[in-house]
Amino acid sequence: MNEIEKLDSEIDASCRVSLLALFVGAAFWLVVASVLGLIASLNFHMPEAFANCPWLTYGRVQPAADDALLYGFCIPAGLGVALWLLARSGRTPVRGALVPFVAAHLWHLGVLVGLIGILAGYSTGFRWLEFPRGASSPLFYAYLLLALWAMMTFGARRERATSPPQWFLVAALFWFPWIYSTANLLLVAWPVRGVTQAVVAWWFGDNLLFVWLALVGVGAAFYFLPKFCERPPQTFYLALFAFWTLVLFGSLCGIPQGAPVPAWLPVASSVAAALLLVPLLAVVIVAWRAVRGSVLSKWDHGPFCFVGAGVVCFFLSGLMWMALACPEICRVTEFTWFVPAQAQLQLYGFFALTMFGAIYHILPRSAGFELPFPKLARAQFWISLSGVALLVAPLAIGGVAQGRQLQNPGISFAVISNSTLPFLRVSTTGQLLLLLGNLIFVLNVFGLASAWKRSVLKKALALVKAPLETAEVQA
Amino acid sequence: MSDESDHIPPEPPGRPPGPRSPAPMGFFILTLVLLFLAAVYFDHHSGWFNAQVYHPFVNANELEKYQPKSGEAALLARGMATYERVCGVCHGNDGAGKPGQAPPLAGSEWVLENGVNRLTHIPLTGLSGAVDVKGQTWNLSMPAMGAALSDADLAAVLTYIRGSWGNKAGPVTPAQVKAARAAVAGQPPINGLQALKALPE
């Protein structure tokens, strides 16, 4: 084992407990999100099934499912990947690993409180910010601690020159505290008046769902794709360009075209969304240059497939996001199933797939054990990918059909709603597939964590049972 | 568990990692072209941060074009704005009145009289006691809501209620309001149907 490998395994070991705490919790919330999403979806097929249980009505279960996925899975998974990646690429072990370990538990506690709050009816009512106040402060402080530790690791890096993945991840570390505190102060603590609330909520949703996820997911993809293909990163300036255009234009989108606000807001938003074409193309080209020539030979490598499919989904969901900001298209697709289709493609297709690949790569190295079910993990790629396709495509197509019918005042609303049911049935099948894929992911992560726990117990037991040193016996 | 490929190749310090790729000139040009088109679009559609301009209007000048400037339209617009601010709360923005609050103005015989003296009198002094409107007796009390309005504003309101919601009666001029105001100065509210009928039409 040479020097570099020794340092690598030292770094992996230094973030072991933090990563296990973050990823095990994330895997748990992923399954919770799938189950809640399935219940929400069943509300359309069997409206009377949960009608007498207020906790399971659509208005509560749907935001709970979305927030369990976003806050429960996406953010802790992204933070874990960021912590490991900043440590690895800076060639510095994480010091004081107890703090991120505790912060990870505080985060998951916040998610638990928030989800119970939503299901009990205490949602704030703002999209993507539904968690009540009791949940948002633990989440905020847990994130601050985790981000602080990742930043300290980054600051102590031995390799001083920075690389593109580091910019993306460091920006993401700063992005969330900024938008989350602003949105909570302006919407929940001291609410601003009138339509400004909606503007703040749209700004927050765009910055969390588009910018934050893109920063972490694309940063991870820029790190892992060259690594999986065993070559140094091919592009530096194009990645720099993708970074600045993404944060500059991405953060200005999000105001719907039909919004009842002064015209310059939606116009600025749609102009920024049109300019998103630049970072989208740049990301795809950077990724393509990293994998060019190795796609076929790497096709059997699980994490590579996950991250590669994630980048493709990022491009597609980015195009859908641009379409939603185009006045001509938005007039048809606004208030239809097209909007959730875009969000699900961004959350599941882009971010979750990328994170699956990253975690399948990181966790075995960090925990020091092989994946317990590598063949199932391989199958999970195809199950999750087809799940995403079956979830998103029908919703997007159904959304366009629904929007076109809504333009026609001759068709009654009930008829239009009924005509979307076949699309919803197919998308429920997609959700079932995603649930299956997520269960495989949980099986692997939990299996790995329990193997590690067993080994720790075994070591502790051996320590207890070990014969006393002669010197101690004499004393 | 470590594999050979799992580390970044060492780099000389101070140099960006990876081979020096050429600056992406095509992307700079694409961005500049898109920025230019975006600026043109923003210029044409945004109203330049004017808080009054909403979709589908695109700038303040266009908005101004649709605002009535003079003549009868301007008078009606002014009357409508004043009516909805001062009178509509009780009489309803549709002029249909509200039970227990205020009688209707739409189709009211007092509004549609040929002479405007009685009608002008009511907002200047107020009206209390029982009066009949459209065959129904209303026993309420209205304060002198119009006393604080300017002659032009009150004339515009009266013209508006005489010409809206199916009402088709002639306008009221500021001069008529001015004369009525001088005549009623210091008088108490009109009390009941008889007092109202006693006024010259």
Side-chain angles (χ1 to χ4, degrees), chain A residues 327-334 336 399-400 402-404 406-407:
Chain A
E328 272 70 34
I329 300 173
C330 182
R331 213 164 290 146
V332 178
T333 53
E334 204 181 10
T336 69
V400 174
Q402 184 191 8
R404 291 176 71 98
L406 284 171
Q407 302 297 304

Side-chain angles (χ1 to χ4, degrees), chain A residues 17-27 72 76-77 79-80 83 100 104 107-108 146:
Chain A
V17 285
S18 325
L19 292 191
L20 278 168
L22 281 166
F23 292 157
V24 166
L79 281 172
L83 184 69
W107 176 275
H108 290 309
L146 282 160

Side-chain angles (χ1 to χ4, degrees), chain A residues 235-438:
Chain A
T235 29
F236 182 81
Y237 293 108
L238 194 55
L240 185 69
F241 204 63
F243 172 74
W244 283 111
T245 48
L246 181 72
V247 294
L248 192 64
F249 302 138
S251 58
L252 297 175
C253 305
I255 314 268
Q257 295 307 299
V261 292
W264 65 271
L265 277 160
V267 169
S269 208
S270 70
V271 160
L275 284 160
L276 275 184
L277 187 64
V278 175
L280 288 180
L281 282 177
V283 165
V284 168
I285 290 179
V286 171
W288 174 244
R289 287 199 191 147
V291 303
R292 188 170 43 190
S294 348
V295 174
L296 288 178
S297 62
K298 285 283 161 190
W299 197 235
D300 57 341
H301 182 229
F304 174 82
C305 296
F306 273 118
V307 177
V311 172
V312 174
C313 288
F314 171 72
F315 185 67
L316 293 178
S317 83
L319 288 183
M320 283 171 80
W321 192 229
M322 286 172 62
L324 273 173
C326 170
E328 272 70 34
I329 300 173
C330 182
R331 213 164 290 146
V332 178
T333 53
E334 204 181 10
F335 308 121
T336 69
W337 286 106
F338 193 85
V339 179
Q342 192 276 333
Q344 295 301 322
L345 187 59
Q346 181 82 354
L347 284 163
Y348 265 123
F350 159 54
F351 198 77
L353 287 190
T354 309
M355 287 300 117
F356 290 152
I359 292 174
Y360 278 148
H361 177 85
I362 294 171
L363 205 54
R365 282 166 177 72
S366 184
F369 290 94
E370 291 287 351
L371 279 184
F373 309 103
K375 277 196 183 137
L376 278 181
R378 185 84 198 100
Q380 190 211 335
F381 172 69
W382 294 108
I383 294 172
S384 291
L385 191 65
S386 43
V388 168
L390 280 182
L391 171 64
V392 172
L395 285 186
I397 297 167
V400 174
Q402 184 191 8
R404 291 176 71 98
Q405 284 178 304
L406 284 171
Q407 302 297 304
N408 182 351
I411 311 176
S412 81
F413 190 74
V415 170
I416 300 173
S417 297
N418 269 329
S419 74
T420 60
L421 266 180
F423 297 107
L424 293 182
R425 287 204 184 99
V426 183
S427 81
T428 306
T429 320
Q431 274 181 316
L432 274 171
L433 279 176
L434 274 172
L435 175 65
L436 184 61
N438 295 343

Side-chain angles (χ1 to χ4, degrees), chain A residues 1 4-5 8 84 88-89 91 159 161-163 223 227 230 232-238 241 249 260-264 267-268 270-271 274-275 277-278 281-282 285 327 331 361 364-365 369-370, chain B residues 1-24 27-28 30-31 34-35 38-39 41-42 45-55 57-58:
Chain A
M1 194 187 260
I4 290 173
E5 285 175 7
D8 277 349
W84 180 86
R88 258 305 185 84
S89 57
R91 322 223 45 73
E159 178 65 69
T162 55
S163 58
Y223 179 84
K227 186 171 290 297
E230 296 165 40
Q234 300 293 306
T235 29
F236 182 81
Y237 293 108
L238 194 55
F241 204 63
F249 302 138
V261 292
W264 65 271
V267 169
S270 70
V271 160
L275 284 160
L277 187 64
V278 175
L281 282 177
I285 290 179
R331 213 164 290 146
H361 177 85
R365 282 166 177 72
F369 290 94
E370 291 287 351
Chain B
M1 192 55 253
S2 59
D3 55 2
E4 287 294 330
S5 66
D6 202 51
H7 59 83
I8 286 187
E11 295 284 340
R15 187 184 176 283
R20 269 193 189 278
S21 52
F27 265 86
F28 279 122
L30 173 69
T31 313
L34 281 177
L35 267 176
Y41 183 82
F42 189 82
H45 290 85
S46 70
W48 278 101
F49 306 109
N50 188 326
Q52 305 281 323
V53 179
Y54 279 61
H55 179 81
F57 302 105
V58 295

